[in-house]
Amino acid sequence: MDGAVPLAIDLRLDGQPIASDSVLRPAGAYVLTISTTLPRPDLPLALHSTYVGAPGAPTHVIHLQQGPSGHDPQIDGAAFNDDADPELCMVVFRPRECAYDHAHRLVAWLGELGHELGVDVTDAAIAALEAVPS
């Protein structure tokens, strides 16, 4: 399974629970990818968010959005600054914030498509994130 760890993120589309798959793929101590797919015939899409950071450097994220049918893939990125303590790398010390950022991106994207998305990053998902060796 290429080192992927299932991530328990529950989604509700327009108020209804929907099937989705989310996985976590660590690549060493300073790189983390979270992927969520909606395998729906009417709304097939995938979001891949890769976070890269190290103590003393800001964490950067690249989001790759694929789907739904008729939409071109989109890639964009951002940097996170923690002015309070730049030594606390988000990827290493606060991986749950990566999951929350990924979830917020999903909500915004589905909103742009005219849907309301509810996301629950479960306790099991947080435990999986915190179990990733840094």
Side-chain angles (χ1 to χ4, degrees):
M1 181 156 74
D2 76 0
V5 176
L7 202 56
I9 296 178
D10 296 330
L11 302 180
R12 292 170 313 286
L13 185 66
D14 300 327
Q16 299 299 314
I18 59 168
S20 65
D21 295 305
S22 294
V23 295
L24 167 69
R25 289 182 179 90
Y30 305 113
V31 180
L32 182 68
T33 297
I34 300 172
S35 299
T36 298
T37 58
L38 300 182
R40 294 173 53 117
D42 62 326
L43 193 64
L45 55 83
L47 174 63
H48 309 280
S49 303
T50 298
Y51 301 86
V52 178
T59 299
H60 290 258
V61 60
I62 298 294
H63 296 288
L64 167 60
Q65 296 176 192
Q66 296 175 292
S69 298
H71 290 80
D72 291 332
Q74 294 182 21
I75 296 176
D76 66 20
F80 301 92
N81 257 333
D82 187 348
D83 294 331
D85 191 348
E87 294 301 312
L88 291 181
C89 169
M90 195 164 125
V91 175
V92 177
F93 298 107
R94 296 188 312 261
R96 73 175 55 201
E97 289 185 31
C98 297
Y100 295 146
D101 177 70
H102 178 80
H104 286 290
R105 181 57 177 238
L106 275 171
V107 169
W109 183 21
L110 271 291
E112 291 169 8
L113 295 172
H115 297 278
E116 183 178 320
L117 184 70
V119 179
D120 180 19
V121 179
T122 68
D123 290 341
I126 298 302
L129 285 159
E130 291 175 349
V132 171
S134 57

